[in-house]
Amino acid sequence: HDGAGGRCNSNKIIDGMPTKMMVRDTGCDKNDNDDDNNNDPTGHTANNNILAVETYLQNELHLSPPDITNLKQTHPHLFHLSLTDHIEPVIFYLYTLLGHDDLWATEPMVTQTKRVAEIIVDHPRLLMCDVETHLEPCGDYIRDYCELTEDEMRMVIANVPGMLELDVVGDLMPRMEFLMDYVMKTTTTTTTTTPGVTRGGGDGDQKRCLNDDDGNDVEEAKVLLREYILKHPRALLGPFVDVG
């Protein structure tokens, strides 16, 4: 930041940001022992639902048989979720975040499908998250707090899709507040005084940390934080992430 009021060394601050932080567990987990609304006494409805979800993942996302088998073993509850009310909305939301919807696309559909499939294989718990109450609030919070453009948001999601599993209030807010506080405390602004005018005891350059009571300092810190997130998007993840 250069200007009449002062300047700060943003590169040094960004490179020196903390790279390891703890986060709480996500809010997307479901208990595999919960009662399934789609079960009947004979188990036929549940079996039909399992087949429907399996067929969808194979035909629409082109997941391989080994991928399907692994999901069944590690996250069996996925196959008891409603295909139309739960699975498909999550998949559509991921497509939208990555730049594809019914009206336009930034990349060929086959490329987007491959990316969504990779996200599901690597982060299957996303399928257990509700779009309206969890995924959308999480995505909106990151986009709004860091003032990301659509392209920047796609880049962040492509790099750290697992951040969508995090709880906004329990995980993301404390994390962003911690990073913001770190920026405020470690960013040094140099204020140049006018020759002949005494400010703070004398002429010349004066160094100070950003002050959260100063609106201009807060805006400057938000810019630095945004730059840091774009440079190290994995800082949004946990429990321990090394981004150096």
Side-chain angles (χ1 to χ4, degrees):
H1 172 73
D2 292 308
R7 56 185 182 275
C8 69
N9 188 344
S10 62
N11 289 333
K12 181 178 180 181
I13 296 305
I14 291 175
D15 291 336
M17 290 283 280
T19 59
K20 294 183 178 180
M21 287 188 295
M22 284 292 297
V23 297
R24 300 166 58 185
D25 198 4
T26 71
C28 296
D29 287 324
K30 300 283 186 178
N31 188 339
D32 286 342
N33 295 321
D34 289 345
D35 291 334
D36 295 312
N37 294 328
N38 54 359
N39 268 324
D40 66 12
T42 65
H44 290 164
T45 303
N47 289 334
N48 290 339
N49 194 84
I50 292 173
L51 180 60
V53 173
E54 179 178 346
T55 300
Y56 175 83
L57 294 176
Q58 287 180 327
N59 294 345
E60 298 299 324
L61 297 184
H62 310 299
L63 295 192
S64 67
D67 287 335
I68 297 293
T69 299
N70 183 63
L71 287 177
K72 285 184 174 180
Q73 293 174 346
T74 59
H75 296 80
H77 189 79
L78 293 178
F79 296 87
H80 294 277
L81 297 174
S82 169
L83 177 61
T84 56
D85 295 338
H86 202 100
I87 302 295
E88 288 181 332
V90 171
I91 297 301
F92 180 78
Y93 180 70
L94 292 176
Y95 272 123
T96 303
L97 280 182
L98 292 175
H100 180 91
D101 58 26
D102 291 337
L103 301 178
W104 59 277
T106 58
E107 294 179 316
M109 186 64 177
V110 63
T111 302
Q112 295 289 2
T113 299
K114 182 178 179 180
R115 287 190 176 187
V116 171
E118 291 173 347
I119 289 175
I120 295 304
V121 170
D122 292 338
H123 305 279
R125 287 193 297 180
L126 286 175
L127 288 176
M128 294 186 282
C129 296
D130 183 79
V131 173
E132 292 186 1
T133 62
H134 189 98
L135 295 180
E136 284 184 346
C138 185
D140 291 346
Y141 177 78
I142 291 297
R143 181 191 294 108
D144 295 342
Y145 194 96
C146 297
E147 299 182 354
L148 301 177
T149 66
E150 292 301 319
D151 287 340
E152 290 168 343
M153 185 64 181
R154 282 192 284 272
M155 184 276 291
V156 170
I157 295 300
N159 279 277
V160 284
M163 72 146 204
L164 292 172
E165 297 178 20
L166 301 179
D167 178 70
V168 173
V169 176
D171 295 320
L172 288 176
M173 284 185 176
R175 172 170 295 254
M176 299 307 290
E177 290 173 1
F178 176 87
L179 290 172
M180 187 70 168
D181 184 62
Y182 183 88
V183 170
M184 299 293 291
K185 291 180 178 179
T186 58
T187 301
T188 300
T189 295
T190 303
T191 302
T192 303
T193 61
T194 304
V197 178
T198 300
R199 181 184 303 175
D203 297 335
D205 291 346
Q206 298 180 13
K207 293 183 178 180
R208 65 176 179 83
C209 293
L210 298 181
N211 186 347
D212 56 10
D213 292 328
D214 188 319
N216 291 330
D217 283 359
V218 171
E219 290 304 312
E220 185 172 334
K222 292 183 71 173
V223 170
L224 293 176
L225 178 58
R226 177 179 177 276
E227 292 176 2
Y228 175 72
I229 294 300
L230 290 175
K231 185 175 181 181
H232 300 300
R234 284 186 293 162
L236 295 170
L237 271 182
F240 285 101
V241 179
D242 224 334
V243 298

